[in-house]
């Protein structure tokens, strides 16, 4: 496949995906934050008697929690997110017959203060910015023996931002349509995606560096196309191996890591695509001053 001469199609596809994500980030508005970012308490409870979501919502309103988020996990088992509680008994013991402690099994209880939530967001941004700067400087230094090594660092950051924006946009869409929340596991997965994306990009850039020395009479476009073609099989094999492992964990793993796995799955797919279709073609476009 001629990756380089079809770059306008790759750029157009990426622009469409990014635009969809940005639209949902604006209209949602933004991602749907979980307890880690907003502060509050979460409670998973299981009833011994048949209980509907409407009954539970009505009871919570009566005891002072009208804005609680209630999700049904399985029959008679519910996940509740509400304002910050001092203790789980604030809900369980104050409720009447439906939430009587003798009829309720408390499966889990977590609480996060608003101060900790704001600190988590700040640290997340610092981590992403620090990682991006470190990656840029390392690639600039690692490719110092090829013409314009600065461009390789910029190309890797462009691919990194491309993957990050698409994944964030996807979860803004999922939050709007299905109520999917983001939490600290989302941030951990996002940093993992950044690392994987850069790793795959460096593999192709390294092949590009070797081919520049091997074929000095070739144009950068020809060398880039050859390098992507030579790395294509390896990139796909690596990605599919990781995707199969992620799918296995999604099927048989616990619910606490599912958000992490969904982010990782989306990031692996987008990262593999961007390494071959965006990062390398960005270098060629910068060199030739042509995006077509």
């Amino acid at each position: 496949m001629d990756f380089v001469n079809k770059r306008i199609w790759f750029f157009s596809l990426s622009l469409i995906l990014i635009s969809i994500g940005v639209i949902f980030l604006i209209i949602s508005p933004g991602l749907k934050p979980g307890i880690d970012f907003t502060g509050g308490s979460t409670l998973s409870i299981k009833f011994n008697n048949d209980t509907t979501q409407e009954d539970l919502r009505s009871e919570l309103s009566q005891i002072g929690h009208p804005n609680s988020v209630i999700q049904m996990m399985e029959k008679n088992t519910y996940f509740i997110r509400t304002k910050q509680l001092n203790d789980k008994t604030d809900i369980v013991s104050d409720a009447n017959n439906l939430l009587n402690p003798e009829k309720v099994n408390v499966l889990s209880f977590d609480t996060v203060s608003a101060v900790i939530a704001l600190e988590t967001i700040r640290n997340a941004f610092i981590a992403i910015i620090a990682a991006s700067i470190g990656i840029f400087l390392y690639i600039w230094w690692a490719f110092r023996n090829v013409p314009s090594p600065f461009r390789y660092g910029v190309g890797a950051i462009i691919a990194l931002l491309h993957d990050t924006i698409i994944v964030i946009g996807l979860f803004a869409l999922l939050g709007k349509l299905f109520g999917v929340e983001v939490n600290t596991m989302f941030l951990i997965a996002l940093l993992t995606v950044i690392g994987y994306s850069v790793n795959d990009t460096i593999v192709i850039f390294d092949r590009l560096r070797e081919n520049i020395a091997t074929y000095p009479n070739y144009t950068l476009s020809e060398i880039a196309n050859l390098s992507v073609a030579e790395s294509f099989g390896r990139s796909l094999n690596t990605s599919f191996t990781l995707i199969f492992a992620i799918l296995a964990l999604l099927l048989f793993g616990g619910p606490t890591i599912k958000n992490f796995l969904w982010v990782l799955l989306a990031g692996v797919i987008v990262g593999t695509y961007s390494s071959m279709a965006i990062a390398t073609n960005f270098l060629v476009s910068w060199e030739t001053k042509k995006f077509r």
Side-chain angles (χ1 to χ4, degrees):
M1 182 177 177
D2 191 348
F3 286 88
V4 171
N5 288 325
K6 291 182 173 60
R7 60 184 179 273
I8 187 62
W9 297 104
F10 296 129
F11 291 157
S12 299
L13 175 60
S14 294
L15 183 60
I16 291 171
L17 294 175
I18 290 173
S19 299
I20 293 173
V22 169
I23 290 171
F24 274 92
L25 281 170
I26 294 173
I27 67 175
S28 294
L31 298 165
K32 186 173 183 180
I35 182 178
D36 296 345
F37 296 146
T38 60
S41 298
T42 62
L43 187 68
S44 296
I45 55 178
K46 183 174 183 179
F47 295 90
N48 295 324
N49 56 312
D50 290 338
T51 305
T52 66
Q53 197 166 355
E54 290 73 21
D55 292 336
L56 181 55
R57 190 179 306 279
S58 174
E59 292 294 330
L60 289 175
S61 297
Q62 292 180 28
I63 61 174
H65 301 279
N67 298 320
S68 300
V69 176
I70 304 171
Q71 295 176 321
M72 184 175 181
M73 302 171 65
E74 57 185 52
K75 186 178 180 181
N76 296 329
T77 303
Y78 295 92
F79 174 83
I80 301 171
R81 182 164 68 88
T82 186
K83 61 185 179 182
Q84 187 173 344
L85 305 172
N86 295 323
D87 187 74
K88 59 189 175 184
T89 56
D90 287 3
I91 283 182
V92 177
S93 63
D94 291 345
N96 56 23
N97 295 330
L98 188 61
L99 294 177
N100 191 297
E102 283 75 26
K103 296 182 180 179
V104 174
N105 295 316
V106 179
L107 304 180
S108 66
F109 174 75
D110 294 293
T111 186
V112 176
S113 70
V115 174
I116 294 176
L118 290 174
E119 186 176 347
T120 300
I121 296 174
R122 182 179 63 85
N123 291 340
F125 277 109
I126 293 174
I128 292 175
I129 292 172
S132 301
I133 294 173
I135 288 168
F136 170 76
L137 294 176
Y138 170 75
I139 294 177
W140 190 0
W141 176 83
F143 289 84
R144 63 192 181 280
N145 294 325
V146 299
S148 303
F150 173 81
R151 297 180 180 180
Y152 289 80
V154 175
I157 296 301
I158 290 294
L160 180 155
L161 292 174
H162 168 276
D163 300 344
T164 303
I165 293 171
I166 289 180
V167 171
I168 291 175
L170 172 63
F171 274 77
L173 185 151
L174 293 175
K176 179 69 174 179
L177 299 180
F178 304 107
V180 176
E181 296 181 344
V182 297
N183 50 26
T184 51
M185 291 298 287
F186 175 85
L187 293 177
I188 295 170
L190 203 58
L191 288 170
T192 305
V193 166
I194 288 172
Y196 179 83
S197 173
V198 171
N199 177 72
D200 208 22
T201 300
I202 289 178
V203 168
I204 297 177
F205 279 2
D206 194 54
R207 183 55 60 92
L208 188 64
R209 176 174 57 181
E210 294 176 359
N211 287 334
I212 287 174
T214 305
Y215 306 102
N217 296 324
Y218 281 26
T219 65
L220 181 60
S221 297
E222 293 171 328
I223 294 175
N225 208 50
L226 176 63
S227 301
V228 172
E230 290 176 345
S231 307
F232 186 79
R234 175 181 175 179
S235 294
L236 283 187
N237 289 336
T238 302
S239 299
F240 276 122
T241 301
L242 183 53
I243 286 171
F244 290 145
I246 294 172
L247 290 175
L249 287 171
L250 280 170
L251 290 173
F252 305 109
T256 56
I257 62 170
K258 284 193 181 296
N259 276 0
F260 173 84
L261 295 172
W262 283 119
V263 177
L264 202 57
L265 180 62
V268 168
I269 295 172
V270 176
T272 303
Y273 161 78
S274 69
S275 298
M276 295 184 288
I278 302 301
T280 308
N281 281 326
F282 173 80
L283 289 179
V284 174
S285 296
W286 195 346
E287 175 71 22
T288 61
K289 304 297 188 295
K290 296 178 182 177
F291 284 90
R292 291 186 177 273

